[in-house]
Amino acid sequence: MVVYLTGFMGCGKSSVGRRLARALGYAFADTDHLVEKTAGKGIAAIFAEDGEAAFRHIEREVLQRTADMNRTVVATGGGMPCGEGNVEFMNAHGAVFYLKSSVGRLMGNLLAGDRSRRPKIAGLGNEELCEYVRTTLAAREERYAKATFTVECDSRSDYGIVAEIAACVAERQGGGAERVVTRPMREEEVPLLAEFLYDAIWQEDGAQALPRSVIRHPEIWAYIDGFETAEGDVCVVAEVSGVIVGAAWARRMHGYGFVANDMPELAVSVRRQWRGRGIGTRLVRELLMTLRDGGCKGVSLSVDRHNPAVEMYRRLGFGVVREDDSGYVMTLML
Ligand code: S3P
């Protein structure tokens, strides 16, 4: 499969693309580099000597060649989706992910980067740049939105963005038939907990999605702040074909589900497209076993009353010990 990454200049297509390729075991290609190789000169020189139309012509040619690249992540130039038929071509030949970013995030990245190699913005002062990003993004949004998948990038690490796309690709490749493995979380995977923390917040289907920054609320962030894979913090993950699709963790804390100092609070989260396959139940079972082996006498959790996970917890033996407007606090003695 070819995985195309699209989005405005500075949204992180190249850095996410390289990491994603590594995560999937794919090759990596960048259409800007392919254009430069084809033309035998840099992008700035193509724009200056031959004009933007010549650049767009080569860009389109290069795109057509990418369709034959198997198992490759292709980062595309920011203007690629604006060329007639280009998004449609990408959607037809691979999986297209639009890395959606706010003007603020793009500005932060563009100001930190080297503007001289991007002819569209090379000569602009900071205020002009902001105006350019605002108006051009608004004008292009409709084209970007034609990608099959949109990935919200604000308030997220590259790691999290890569995890979401990798899970989607695994699913598309028929990951449903693949083996789900549960195992302890490794230290280098801890940054993923921010992703799972967001997914663990119950949101009604069809309701306006909460901004990702909600996890930075101190009472929520406390669930993963300084998380260790030892010393009382315990986390198990579910992995499919090298991609982590779920996590269940426990830590001693005074969170929404606090009951007693010696009873850690439990949280579990499975990527949306992997729900409904018993992965959450497996994760919680494995976590409970690990906690019991470590001498823990019981766990507690807080759950929204509308969250279908309430039933899973009941099946696993959890009982309600407290109830308020939004939900239940449940416990299980081990
Ligand atoms: C462009 C974006 C650039 C490059 C060219 C034009 C654009 O790619 O293709 O300078 O029109 O937005 P990046 O998004 O990789 O900077």
Side-chain angles (χ1 to χ4, degrees):
M1 186 191 311
V2 183
V3 176
Y4 292 101
L5 302 184
T6 64
F8 205 83
M9 281 180 269
C11 70
K13 290 162 297 195
S14 301
S15 59
V16 165
R18 281 178 207 286
R19 283 170 186 240
L20 177 65
R22 231 176 295 138
L24 293 171
Y26 277 28
F28 174 74
D30 181 319
T31 59
D32 282 348
H33 290 163
L34 295 173
V35 168
E36 290 181 325
K37 234 165 96 183
T38 307
K41 55 185 162 189
I43 293 192
I46 307 175
F47 268 72
E49 294 163 21
D50 312 314
E52 180 168 349
F55 171 82
R56 298 296 173 200
H57 183 76
I58 308 173
E59 190 179 47
R60 185 192 196 77
E61 241 178 57
V62 156
L63 179 65
Q64 278 161 6
R65 276 192 262 139
T66 61
D68 303 325
M69 299 175 170
N70 196 22
R71 295 177 65 83
T72 305
V73 175
V74 179
T76 62
M80 181 69 90
C82 307
E84 209 193 317
N86 284 357
V87 190
E88 292 75 8
F89 181 89
M90 291 188 275
N91 280 332
H93 291 90
V96 188
F97 293 86
Y98 164 37
L99 305 191
K100 186 171 181 175
S101 295
S102 63
V103 173
R105 179 172 182 273
L106 294 171
M107 279 300 288
N109 290 345
L110 289 173
L111 290 173
D114 173 13
R115 267 183 263 174
S116 67
R117 54 170 207 89
R118 290 180 161 128
K120 302 287 270 184
I121 58 170
L124 305 182
N126 291 359
E127 272 178 34
E128 288 167 313
L129 176 64
C130 190
E131 187 54 22
Y132 175 84
V133 173
R134 215 176 46 73
T135 52
T136 315
L137 179 62
R140 288 179 173 181
E141 188 65 48
E142 192 198 342
R143 299 295 304 162
Y144 289 143
K146 289 202 184 309
T148 308
F149 303 98
T150 293
V151 184
E152 301 284 345
C153 295
D154 280 29
S155 313
R156 284 176 99 175
S157 62
D158 276 6
Y159 204 92
I161 298 168
V162 166
E164 176 174 338
I165 302 176
C168 232
V169 171
E171 166 78 358
R172 260 214 153 182
Q173 281 173 329
E178 291 179 63
R179 217 157 67 85
V180 179
V181 178
T182 52
R183 58 160 175 82
M185 172 173 258
R186 298 183 192 121
E187 212 174 303
E188 68 273 17
E189 293 163 344
V190 166
L192 265 184
L193 278 180
E195 291 301 310
F196 286 114
L197 181 60
Y198 179 76
D199 283 347
I201 301 169
W202 167 247
Q203 301 193 51
E204 202 88 48
D205 265 351
Q208 167 94 36
L210 291 166
R212 292 205 160 257
S213 54
V214 71
I215 60 168
R216 289 284 171 177
H217 191 290
E219 286 175 10
I220 297 179
W221 192 244
Y223 281 81
I224 62 167
D225 192 13
F227 200 88
E228 308 254 2
T229 44
E231 295 303 318
D233 287 342
V234 182
C235 179
V236 292
V237 296
E239 185 184 319
V240 181
S241 307
V243 176
I244 297 180
V245 301
W249 68 99
R251 85 182 323 190
R252 286 176 197 223
M253 60 182 291
H254 277 248
Y256 295 106
F258 177 76
V259 170
N261 282 330
D262 55 356
M263 284 176 61
E265 278 193 48
L266 176 151
V268 59
S269 150
V270 176
R271 290 231 166 264
R272 196 163 288 277
Q273 61 268 45
W274 291 89
R275 292 183 190 161
R277 303 178 197 210
I279 295 177
T281 306
R282 274 185 62 179
L283 280 168
V284 175
R285 279 214 177 99
E286 174 122 2
L287 182 69
L288 294 175
M289 266 187 312
T290 313
L291 289 167
R292 191 167 30 220
D293 290 349
C296 177
K297 69 168 200 157
V299 285
S300 67
L301 59 87
S302 118
V303 59
D304 188 288
R305 67 175 68 245
H306 302 295
N307 189 338
V310 171
E311 275 321 301
M312 172 185 77
Y313 295 130
R314 281 194 205 280
R315 274 199 310 273
L316 285 163
F318 282 82
V320 174
V321 291
R322 207 162 67 224
E323 196 174 337
D324 64 19
D325 292 348
S326 61
Y328 307 117
V329 170
M330 303 176 91
T331 58
L332 175 71
M333 299 319 284
L334 297 172

